[in-house]
Amino acid sequence: FDSNAHIKGCEIVNYLLEKSRVVTQSSMERNYHIFYQVVAGTTTEQKQKLKIKNIDEYRYCNTSGCIRIDGVDDVAEYKGVLEAMKTLQFTGDMQLGMLQVLIAILTLGNLDFNKGNDVSTDTSVVAPASAQDLANIQVLLGLEENTFTRALTEKNVAMGGGSVVAIQLSKTQALDGRDTLAKALYSNMFDWVIRQVNSTLKSNTPTHQYIGILDIFGFEVFDVNGFEQLCINYANEKLQQHFNEVIFNEEMKMYESEGINTSENIDFVDNSACVALIEGKPFGLLSFLEEECSLGNATDLTYINKVEKEFGKNRKNENIFFVKHKTIPEKFHVKHFAGAVEYN
């Protein structure tokens, strides 16, 4: 707002994107809605040109048991997206580029790999049945054929003296790399969309005041909870801690300064130890995770063992918010403010 309280513009800042949803969804949940919208809403000509299949033919959308939602018209929703992009000054070329990336991501999920021809080593090759999908992705993303194929089945490792060595990927590693590429493509385009939106909406003149609106994920607990759920629930723990600080501590200080009787204690759950468990430095779930990720031989088990040795029961720095899994050593529980969550 300017000094006369007139709106000058707005800016979007994104903090956390649930990238794992792109490649896997919980039972009866959809992938991001835009995938279903573009497949349903594109014209016949676009479908033919971009080699768009039916939505139930894409592995990234057909494994959760939910493709269509009652009362949701994906064709109408896609028209709304196109109208919004037009209003926000996305050019036709921009929209086409986004469409190509989205279809390339869906097609990536259909790529399969076979074990390589060299039986003495654990290598991989793109399965012959995926040759057409591979060719379509190359066209959609403007990639050179041999370079892209190598990138899917090899990784380059920098050695001493500046040399680079190509190492063949196993079938499992190639599948993981495929999914990682799909998530990275979606994430990078998501960031790009926000930059484009801000270029239209953000004010270029000095502003006097602003109102900030925080739209957070709700507390998350699924059958399988990974790193993203930990980040989301950590954000909620921090907000709860901030709420405690403002409402209970700052308000009580204000009452006392104004002479209001505060003899009656107000009980509330102090979650500061849970926040410290997650974000503590040098000892915390995130610090230990970063440390383990820098080691070449780290596993889920070495990570959990290191955390348990620091925070487990009867340890010197025991943290009641951390609970080691009773039967599966690679898992652990965090007793969040909103409830306990089992992390894998």
Side-chain angles (χ1 to χ4, degrees):
F1 300 86
D2 63 17
S3 57
N4 295 317
H6 294 147
I7 294 176
K8 299 294 293 182
C10 68
E11 179 180 12
I12 299 170
V13 180
N14 64 312
Y15 294 96
L16 181 64
L17 176 68
E18 198 176 4
K19 292 186 290 186
S20 64
R21 180 180 290 271
V22 175
V23 299
T24 181
Q25 304 86 44
S26 299
S27 177
M28 300 310 296
E29 283 197 347
R30 294 215 305 183
N31 203 325
Y32 284 106
H33 294 306
I34 189 63
F35 291 120
Y36 307 86
Q37 292 167 2
V38 298
V39 172
T42 44
T43 65
T44 302
E45 182 182 357
Q46 288 174 320
K47 285 180 169 62
Q48 293 173 347
K49 184 177 180 180
L50 302 178
K51 304 295 190 293
I52 300 176
K53 303 179 182 181
N54 295 326
I55 192 65
D56 53 9
E57 296 181 73
Y58 290 114
R59 191 176 292 154
Y60 284 159
C61 293
N62 68 8
T63 58
S64 69
C66 179
I67 290 180
R68 293 166 185 85
I69 302 175
D70 291 340
V72 174
D73 186 338
D74 288 318
V75 174
E77 294 285 340
Y78 185 58
K79 290 180 180 177
V81 170
L82 294 178
E83 190 63 32
M85 287 196 291
K86 181 180 178 181
T87 301
L88 291 166
Q89 300 174 15
F90 282 69
T91 66
D93 287 343
M94 288 179 178
Q95 294 179 39
L96 176 60
M98 293 171 63
L99 185 57
Q100 289 176 244
V101 172
L102 289 168
I103 299 305
I105 291 171
L106 287 178
T107 310
L108 264 173
N110 287 2
L111 290 185
D112 282 317
F113 299 87
N114 291 340
K115 185 175 173 57
N117 298 324
D118 187 351
V119 296
S120 63
T121 59
D122 192 6
T123 61
S124 62
V125 294
V126 177
S130 296
Q132 188 58 59
D133 285 332
L134 180 67
N136 292 342
I137 296 169
Q138 290 165 181
V139 173
L140 289 167
L141 298 180
L143 302 174
E144 194 273 328
E145 179 180 356
N146 293 332
T147 302
F148 182 50
T149 304
R150 285 200 304 272
L152 291 170
T153 56
E154 297 178 4
K155 68 176 179 179
N156 292 333
V157 178
M159 308 297 287
S163 61
V164 177
V165 176
I167 298 178
Q168 296 287 319
L169 299 177
S170 67
K171 179 179 177 179
T172 299
Q173 290 172 328
L175 289 170
D176 286 342
R178 176 203 67 187
D179 290 346
T180 300
L181 175 58
K183 290 187 287 186
L185 280 169
Y186 191 86
S187 178
N188 287 348
M189 188 170 67
F190 192 91
D191 292 340
W192 175 83
V193 168
I194 289 176
R195 290 196 299 272
Q196 292 301 319
V197 171
N198 286 341
S199 69
T200 301
L201 300 182
K202 189 176 179 180
S203 172
N204 294 319
T205 58
T207 53
H208 185 68
Q209 291 177 319
Y210 71 92
I211 295 174
I213 300 173
L214 177 63
D215 179 15
I216 65 165
F217 285 93
F219 181 76
E220 287 197 352
V221 53
F222 300 122
D223 292 336
V224 177
N225 302 284
F227 177 67
E228 288 177 349
Q229 277 64 53
L230 178 62
C231 291
I232 291 164
N233 294 336
Y234 166 45
N236 283 287
E237 286 287 353
K238 288 287 283 187
L239 287 169
Q240 183 63 40
Q241 183 186 44
H242 179 67
F243 178 83
N244 291 346
E245 181 67 25
V246 172
I247 298 301
F248 296 113
N249 295 335
E250 296 299 326
E251 287 288 309
M252 292 300 287
K253 290 177 183 177
M254 184 176 70
Y255 291 168
E256 292 171 2
S257 68
E258 294 178 353
I260 298 175
N261 183 7
T262 58
S263 58
E264 185 175 335
N265 291 328
I266 300 176
D267 294 326
F268 66 94
V269 177
D270 184 0
N271 69 332
S272 57
C274 185
V275 173
L277 167 69
I278 301 171
E279 70 176 11
K281 294 181 179 180
F283 306 119
L285 295 180
L286 296 179
S287 297
F288 279 135
L289 185 60
E290 185 170 12
E291 180 179 292
E292 285 295 289
C293 286
S294 67
L295 303 176
N297 58 348
T299 65
D300 291 351
L301 188 57
T302 62
Y303 168 65
I304 301 303
N305 286 341
K306 186 173 291 187
V307 173
E308 197 276 333
K309 188 176 181 180
E310 181 69 24
F311 300 117
K313 194 171 183 179
N314 298 323
R315 300 292 186 177
K316 180 181 178 181
N317 294 318
E318 177 183 348
N319 190 305
I320 63 172
F321 293 92
F322 171 82
V323 181
K324 188 176 181 180
H325 200 283
K326 291 181 179 180
T327 57
I328 306 175
E330 292 87 359
K331 295 184 179 182
F332 65 96
H333 289 82
V334 174
K335 293 182 178 179
H336 288 287
F337 176 84
V341 178
E342 176 187 284
Y343 291 103
N344 182 345

